Amino acid sequence: MSGNVPAAEMDRSAVAADGAPSPQLAASLATEDGQSVILGDNPLTWREIVKVARHGSELLLSDAAWARIDNARAIVNRIVARGERAYGISTGLGALSSVRLEGPQLAQLSRNTLLSHACGVGVPLQVEQTRAIMCAAVCNYAHGHSGISRGVVQALVALLNLHITPIVPSQGSVGYLTHMAHVGVALLGIGEVNWQGRSMPAERALREAGMVPLELSAKDGISLVNGTPCMTGLACLGLADAFNLADWADVIGAMSFEALRGQIDAFDEDVLALKPHPGAQEVGANLRALLAGSEVIASSRGIRTQDALSIRSIPQIHGACRDQLIHAERQVNTELASATDNPLVVGTPEAYRILSQANPHGESVAIAADLLCIALAELAGVAERRLDRLINPLVSGLPAFLVSQPGVNSGMMIAQYVAAALVGENRHLAQPAVVDNFVTSALQEDHLSLGTGATLKLLKVIDNTTRVLAIEYLLAAQAFEFLKEQRFGVGTASAWRRLREEIPPYDQDRWLAPDIESAARLVRKHPALDNLPGSSLSQS
């Protein structure tokens, strides 16, 4: 819930007993660049989640956001005071929803919920991944329909702003529950966290940060583990990387097109206007801007009637992938604008309703993540076809495997094998997760989104696609070495020079693995092209 909120309305600190940092540490929460993300009256977007999770922006809540949280909590307190029956507040969970609880059992249920649900397995999530989940969770609570205690939200915000990150196993979620449970037990002083570049017991980190382990109340436990913040937070990071890769695919694809002396008529504006998919229009504009002024392209007109599909259909393929990114973006932003706890509370403490429903079901995000997997697998697949043509002298017009002395040198031969292997793995990962299903909780939860699994495999597809594009980048740049007597396009020449600042050309065989990783790092960390006139990439 972003917006311009006066500094006086922002709650930057909290009472230590509520799990927030001490006043001394609270004063140091601001990031070095002074940038903050503010939860106010409008939903956070995926870009703001990424600012907090990946770039370390401070997360602040406006007075209005805290008021919503407090109002929902007051409803829960009224339910408890009246002794009403309400799922997850005064009953057990899942198939145990018929078991009635009262008195001290309500707080004990919250604690036990975290302990029993924190049973994930596998390698830990990366720090930015856990931070994205935590930020999405705070966004969920700030809608004011969860009923979670203010102190729990304050403690989560404090962990984010102090960069104390619970160590969370990556596997074990059918959509929600386990990942946030591991975050939750860290608030109790249980488990391990990452802080200041090292792993340490959560209790020690809380103590050194001036915080104390939380004492939970009714509803806190189920609110911590419920909802879709896990899949949604991870999908935010996936979107950031996917948009970046789509830009880089256009740049690197344009380099391959130029190196293979493609026929530019395929990208003609009038031609593409006859197939008015938005993505194809955008990619066509990018390619024309990237290749503007190319003597290589100008001198190659008419050398063949038409190019292979992997060369001439870049706007259609890349554009279709971009269209899926826009769809996924809409789904993720809508989910961030959604209250996904169960049960939800609405109204005021004087006139309220408590609603058991299925908003925690993550079908929309799961399908979006599966579509992103398919789109990125396609970007990698067509890139592998282009880079294969670059090393094949039968179709490239270039030296075999892009070295001046093939035979004694293998050149880029095996780099194409690596790309093919990664594309093959992507094909398996692109199989939809959402269409699978299991029955859990003794028939109570008999349809699952598997959205967290979908987003985790998306992040793997992103890694693979990044490396495939890095390999194509290396090969296209090496092909330029044989064509540099002519002027390249304004954008492709810039991309070539950028790579050469990191990686020299190949006169003979050398260890390629470090070069692939250097190119992949460049693709991950930098915008595709800055300030390219006439191209949407300059605004990326």
Side-chain angles (χ1 to χ4, degrees), residues 87-250:
Y87 174 73
I89 299 176
S90 56
T91 76
L93 308 181
L96 299 175
S97 59
S98 61
V99 179
R100 185 71 178 269
L101 305 172
E102 58 185 15
Q105 290 179 317
L106 306 185
Q108 188 64 37
L109 171 63
S110 283
R111 182 179 178 86
N112 287 350
T113 297
L114 297 184
L115 295 174
S116 64
H117 287 51
C119 56
V121 298
V123 298
L125 294 176
Q126 297 174 14
V127 166
E128 68 172 26
Q129 293 167 354
T130 299
R131 286 175 56 82
I133 294 168
M134 294 165 63
C135 189
V138 173
C139 179
N140 186 34
Y141 305 141
H143 292 304
H145 297 291
S146 289
I148 195 169
S149 299
R150 172 190 274 245
V152 178
V153 183
Q154 288 172 326
L156 286 170
V157 173
L159 292 188
L160 283 167
N161 291 341
L162 292 168
H163 296 271
I164 300 172
T165 308
I167 295 177
V168 177
S170 59
Q171 295 174 279
S173 174
V174 295
Y176 52 104
L177 301 177
T178 57
H179 293 76
M180 275 302 295
H182 281 274
V183 172
V185 295
L187 297 176
L188 305 179
I190 297 170
E192 298 282 313
V193 299
N194 280 309
W195 192 33
Q196 299 175 338
R198 65 189 191 279
S199 173
M200 65 176 66
E203 189 279 332
R204 175 186 166 191
L206 295 178
R207 184 177 68 252
E208 292 184 2
M211 300 170 64
V212 297
L214 285 180
E215 294 289 338
L216 301 179
S217 302
K219 186 69 162 63
D220 290 339
I222 191 172
S223 291
L224 276 168
V225 302
N226 223 332
T228 62
C230 183
M231 66 181 78
T232 308
L234 295 175
C236 293
L237 295 173
L239 275 170
D241 293 333
F243 276 107
N244 179 56
L245 288 175
D247 287 349
W248 272 108
D250 289 356

